[in-house]
Amino acid sequence: MKFSYVCMALLLAGSARGTFAAEVSSPDGNIKVNFSVVEGRPTYEMSYKGKPVILPSTLGLELIGSTDLMDKFEEKNVTYSEFDETWQPVWGENKEIRNHYREMFVELAQPPHGRFMNIRFRVYDDGMGLRYEFPQQQYLDYFPVREEHTQFAMAGDHTAWWIAGDYDTQEYDYTESRLSEIRGLMKSAICSNASQTQFSPTGVQTSLQMKTDDGLYINIHEAALVNYSCMHLNLDDKNMVFESWLTPDAQGVKAYVQTPDHTPWRTVMVSDDARDMLASNLILNLNEPCAYEDTSWIKPVKYVGVWWEMIGGGKQWSYTYDLPSVKLDNLDYSKTKCHGEHPANTENVKRYIDFAAEHGFDQVLVEGWNVGWEDWFGKSKDYVFDFVTPYPDFDIDYLNEYAHSKGVRLMMHHETSGSVRNYERHMEAAYNLMDKYGYNAVKSGYVGNMIPRGEHHYGQWLNNHYLYAVTEAAKHKIMVNAHEAVRPTGLCRTYPNLIGNESARGTEYEAFAGNKPSHTTVLPFTRLQGGPMDYTPGIFEMDMKKINPNSAGHVNSTLARQLALYVTMYSPLQMAADIPENYNRFMDAFQFIKDVAVDWDESRYLEAEPGQYIVAARKAKGKDEWYVGCTAGEKGHTSDLKLDFLDKGRKYEAVIYADAKDAHYLDNPQAYTITRKTVTDKSRLKLAAAPGGGYAISIKPLDL
Ligand code: NOJ
Ligand code: CA
């Protein structure tokens, strides 16, 4: 329902300086956004409960080969409206989402050049989005963008949880620092990743979480990134002003726009309660409704996989990995013997299928099933994988039949090696192969430098590719979980077969270098704002030497915290990532992973502080069962939980999987206790999480 409301325009409230011509506030009145044209430049500011969030900041775009859309603007018209509707996501943290905002639509003209540009603001109770709109017009039809200059002027030297600006990876640990310290810390923030394409000593990625000295939580991100380049933020650290910095293409062009068109939303979330940042649906709400009529084939997935054996165990994706110079085109695999340990073989995959069937998992991911791996490593040529030819020791026909006979599916794996034209050439055949054998989900990946060379993972061309892979998959009723793709911006609302993404530093890094113990207390504030993450939790053996004597890795988490991540890291796609042998050693704890839901009716954030702790409670879809998870940073955390979300008067059994008193992520991570308690909505639970620890609780009714 959309209706006009009276009449902010008449108030012309203006800012303290009296320069602002238009104002819109959030439905609850706490957030105010003002707009004006100041000396020809579009300018806005934003406040929350009277405190400045964004100081006056200018808007505009610099173009290539034609006059910029930066200045000489005049305001033509401002229209206000309000929108309030509730929608049901196909899967999600809640079964219903309210989309309630007030809108201010500003129409601008650039008279000397006969051009028009509009700016649309939507203001919610927990933040706002703005975007540029370019109507179809005579003197602005097709234009390359040199840079977008959207400013976000901060009101102080805030604390931020940031990762370095990079056009190709987000796989970094977060650094917590003042904005003024970013420049000095940049070197240590990037050193862990060789592929970094650094563009500025003060460049950071979104979603960027900040906290002000007077207790405001501010988050900057973007929503609905479609046919445009991903936005980074470059900080002027003298004045504490962020400015957008788009990802370039191989020619240095930042975006190509053809009118009528618009940019993605630039979003600023704000609250004085950290939990509101986690509970916010602003990014989803700024995306378009579901584009598919039939979504009955889209189903949340809990899976295991032939994966950690390679990532953590040092085994091989490639069947012929130690042959020095193999050419895919003329290698006869049927005459080649397997070199080294290749876990994607029929017998081993069968073992995983049995394990999945016994413990109620939906799918088994198998990586390294297809030819091409030996051709990729170290070569980066553009024709690598064909996505349809299995290695000779992987019996695709038999294994799919065997899996289906046990009520399990195999999950497809497409590592593109960044060779995107090659992937697009083979995509239809690859999806057809999946249809033929009954796969309905693919984990894809974009490791390495992009081919065509010079293109970046987060550029417009690649962003269009990731979405193309998703919409083509939908034609085959296939769900997509893309790793190393651009970080999500809420597109899963429109295309819910985008069931997950990695696009951040996942559990795989625990096997390589370790993640900071605080990592999972930051990700839900940042990376998860745009959509679910395939974080691949559930590692029970923290000493990686136990499965690979050559490994230097250590998983910086307690075992109890690994359970909690199924609740705190929201995703409709969850992997139990460890090898079956490690689960068999701790079957009592594994029970939580078996029980926990992957789709929810309701979610509540009970306690939260970025970098320190997150406690979430979620009610399973269609069931009166709750699951609670706590993840804690270096200092651990003590909780005092009220279970007042339970049905009044009903008795439940709570099974509490907690860190033992002497647990510690470094030297005693596997020390946990399991306690059973009868609880009601009146119960309070005092629980302690060890350093790098956590707890997980399942709560089921006793009176079924
Ligand atoms: C990186 C992905 O994140 C990981 O999960 C996958 O196993 C490798 N690429 C190989 O595709
Ligand atoms: Ca990755």
Side-chain angles (χ1 to χ4, degrees), residues 154-165:
M154 298 292 103
D157 185 11
H158 307 326
T159 299
W161 290 265
W162 56 275
I163 55 175

Side-chain angles (χ1 to χ4, degrees), residues 49-63:
K49 294 185 181 169
K51 292 179 183 172
V53 176
I54 305 286
L55 296 176
S57 295
T58 53
L59 301 168
L61 294 103
E62 203 183 333
L63 309 189

Side-chain angles (χ1 to χ4, degrees), residues 469-497:
V470 170
T471 51
E472 286 301 298
K475 295 179 187 163
H476 296 260
K477 302 198 166 150
I478 286 170
M479 300 181 282
V480 176
N481 162 27
H483 280 222
E484 294 89 30
V486 70
R487 77 280 186 291
T489 56
L491 289 173
C492 58
R493 175 180 179 191
T494 316
Y495 309 101
N497 66 319

Side-chain angles (χ1 to χ4, degrees), residues 289-338:
C290 182
Y292 309 138
E293 241 164 60
D294 173 21
T295 54
S296 58
W297 50 276
I298 301 171
K299 303 249 187 291
V301 177
K302 209 191 280 185
Y303 72 106
V304 292
V306 176
W307 181 69
W308 196 241
E309 290 191 58
M310 290 90 88
I311 290 281
K315 296 180 188 171
Q316 296 303 320
W317 283 265
S318 170
Y319 177 78
T320 54
Y321 79 102
D322 60 351
L323 294 183
S325 186
V326 179
K327 285 206 175 59
L328 176 71
D329 348 19
N330 52 26
L331 177 70
D332 183 350
Y333 285 90
S334 60
K335 298 201 180 106
T336 309
K337 278 201 11 214
C338 182

Side-chain angles (χ1 to χ4, degrees), residues 87 89 91-94 97-99 122 124 221-224 265 267 269 279-290 488-495 528-532 570:
W87 57 280
W91 42 260
E93 295 186 77
N94 294 288
I97 294 177
R98 187 171 179 196
N99 184 9
R122 286 187 181 164
Y124 293 78
H221 191 34
E222 65 179 302
W265 295 96
T267 62
M269 285 157 47
S280 175
N281 290 306
L282 183 135
I283 302 285
L284 286 178
N285 278 333
L286 285 170
N287 276 269
E288 297 299 316
C290 182
T489 56
L491 289 173
C492 58
R493 175 180 179 191
T494 316
Y495 309 101
L528 268 69
Q529 293 295 357
Y570 166 67

Side-chain angles (χ1 to χ4, degrees), residues 167-169 171 193 195 197 376 380 415-420 445-453 455-457 462 466 483-484:
Y167 302 141
D168 289 291
T169 184
E171 297 187 358
N193 197 312
S195 77
T197 327
W376 171 33
S380 274
E415 174 51 64
T416 68
S417 66
S419 187
V420 168
Y446 296 86
V447 171
N449 291 336
M450 276 296 158
I451 301 172
R453 293 179 214 290
E455 292 296 337
H456 294 293
H457 282 70
L462 268 305
Y466 305 131
H483 280 222
E484 294 89 30

Side-chain angles (χ1 to χ4, degrees), residues 564-575:
L565 297 179
Y566 291 88
V567 185
T568 59
M569 298 286 291
Y570 166 67
S571 177
L573 172 97
Q574 290 282 15
M575 182 179 201

